[in-house]
Amino acid sequence: MATSTARPASRNWSLPNILTYARVAAVPLVAGFMFWPREPWARWTALAIYVAAAITDFLDGYLARAWAQQSSLGRMLDPIADKLLVSAVILMLVANQTIAGATLWASIVILCREILVSGLREYLAELRVPVPVTAVAKWKTAAQLVALGFLIIGPSGEAILPASMKTGIVLLWVAAILTLYTGWDYMKASYDSVGND
């Protein structure tokens, strides 16, 4: 009996899961530093934490597969951590007006898709229907993460990388377009399962 309870506990505290926990913990830190958008040091600090969190997004899944340390907790928490980070950053960028005007629509598309796919995954999990991550979805995630990185640093990055703001906006629109495609793709792939309930 002691063996069966010890194993899940150790799996929950494996390095891949610890990296996922760290990504969740990074969300309030990134958002907190983004409260001072006029302070270059705050933007650079937020970017540093964000980049570290984005790296854990790649590492936790890679290490879990490489070391055969995949767990139910990790599979559940990993996409939640991603969505928390992306949603918090987008909301802060809108609040400090780094994202404004027509680009707000790109943000709305991305946030709506995150909510839609989360609900869809939860529903299909009850039916034991897998929702695979496609190659296009991975490209969407990459474009989204890079776009938000450029936008976090915002005007403070222009001195080092001219047109960094424009690059961030363009990549955010690319991510939004890919978001529409992947959202529709997921809906189409799961239509039969949803419709039969």
Side-chain angles (χ1 to χ4, degrees), residues 9-173:
S10 62
R11 182 63 61 90
N12 289 346
W13 289 101
S14 64
L15 181 57
N17 279 353
I18 290 172
L19 291 173
T20 304
Y21 304 150
R23 191 156 72 259
V24 173
V27 172
L29 291 176
V30 174
F33 282 108
M34 291 177 71
F35 269 104
W36 295 282
R38 298 181 187 278
E39 300 289 343
W41 67 268
R43 281 188 177 268
W44 282 107
T45 304
L47 177 66
I49 298 170
Y50 172 81
V51 169
I55 291 171
T56 68
D57 184 24
F58 165 76
L59 279 180
D60 58 7
Y62 173 79
L63 293 177
R65 291 186 296 272
W67 294 350
Q69 291 185 345
Q70 292 170 306
S71 66
S72 298
L73 178 65
R75 281 189 291 271
M76 178 271 295
L77 196 57
D78 182 62
I80 292 175
D82 298 342
K83 287 168 177 54
L84 285 174
L85 182 63
V86 167
S87 300
V89 168
I90 287 176
L91 288 173
M92 290 306 299
L93 289 171
V94 170
N96 65 33
Q97 297 187 331
T98 301
I99 294 176
T103 311
L104 286 170
W105 285 106
S107 303
I108 291 169
V109 166
I110 290 170
L111 289 176
C112 287
R113 185 264 189 193
E114 298 294 355
I115 295 169
L116 173 68
V117 172
S118 294
L120 186 62
R121 283 181 183 276
E122 185 177 343
Y123 176 74
L124 293 178
E126 295 179 5
L127 302 179
R128 301 187 183 279
V129 176
V131 182
V133 178
T134 64
V136 178
K138 291 179 181 179
W139 279 107
K140 182 273 302 179
T141 300
Q144 187 172 274
L145 290 175
V146 174
L148 294 179
F150 275 110
L151 294 174
I152 286 172
I153 196 58
S156 300
E158 294 287 335
I160 297 174
L161 183 63
S164 59
M165 278 285 293
K166 187 177 291 184
T167 302
I169 295 296
V170 169
L171 285 175
L172 193 69
W173 277 107

